[in-house]
Amino acid sequence: MQSRTRIFLTVLATAIGGCCLQLYVTLSKDVLFNGIQFCTSSNQDLVLGTVAMFLSATFAGFISSLIVVRDNFWPHFFISLFIIGKLSVAALCAPWGGPLWFEIGLHSSLLAGLWLGWYSAEKFPLAPV
């Protein structure tokens, strides 16, 4: 693969993966569970919402990995930096209604789901090589 094509696919996969992650997390967190907050949500909503966010991140990681044709992990690295940056800004500005450990757990599940999506796309038998 040429260098320009590889860079283009990396940028495209980062943009599409980031948008998919944001869309699916918003759908699972805010639409399906009406906003997950530690203080106001039930335990069942917290568990199901966190699992839904994890699955959303897994799906976004899978899509990103298929766009870059399985030989490139840079989109996942950049999206991971975005997630860590979002957590850092949230930790400094404190715009949530729960403890910091809960937000760290949510963002850790996003990171784990993103990289699980990368790994599952690597092992997916129908993915292009």
Side-chain angles (χ1 to χ4, degrees):
M1 187 179 314
Q2 290 183 353
S3 178
R4 280 191 245 173
T5 306
R6 188 175 174 98
I7 291 171
F8 173 73
L9 286 177
T10 300
V11 170
L12 183 68
T14 302
I16 290 176
C19 289
C20 285
L21 179 68
Q22 193 67 24
L23 174 70
Y24 297 143
V25 166
T26 300
L27 284 175
S28 63
K29 183 178 178 182
D30 295 331
V31 175
L32 291 177
F33 294 100
N34 202 15
I36 299 172
Q37 292 187 358
F38 183 75
C39 297
T40 59
S41 298
S42 67
N43 288 339
Q44 180 181 5
D45 284 346
L46 290 175
V47 170
L48 291 176
T50 304
V51 169
M53 288 176 60
F54 176 77
L55 292 175
S56 300
T58 303
F59 190 64
F62 187 80
I63 289 173
S64 292
S65 188
L66 289 182
I67 291 173
V68 293
V69 197
R70 291 189 351 184
D71 68 343
N72 193 345
F73 66 90
W74 286 106
H76 300 83
F77 178 74
F78 292 132
I79 295 170
S80 295
L81 287 179
F82 171 73
I83 292 170
I84 292 169
K86 181 182 169 198
L87 177 64
S88 300
V89 168
L92 293 175
C93 300
W96 65 78
L100 181 62
W101 62 265
F102 177 71
E103 291 296 322
I104 290 173
L106 283 179
H107 287 80
S108 297
S109 73
L110 289 177
L111 288 172
L114 182 71
W115 286 100
L116 179 67
W118 170 78
Y119 181 74
S120 63
E122 286 289 320
K123 299 299 180 186
F124 189 58
L126 300 176
V129 177

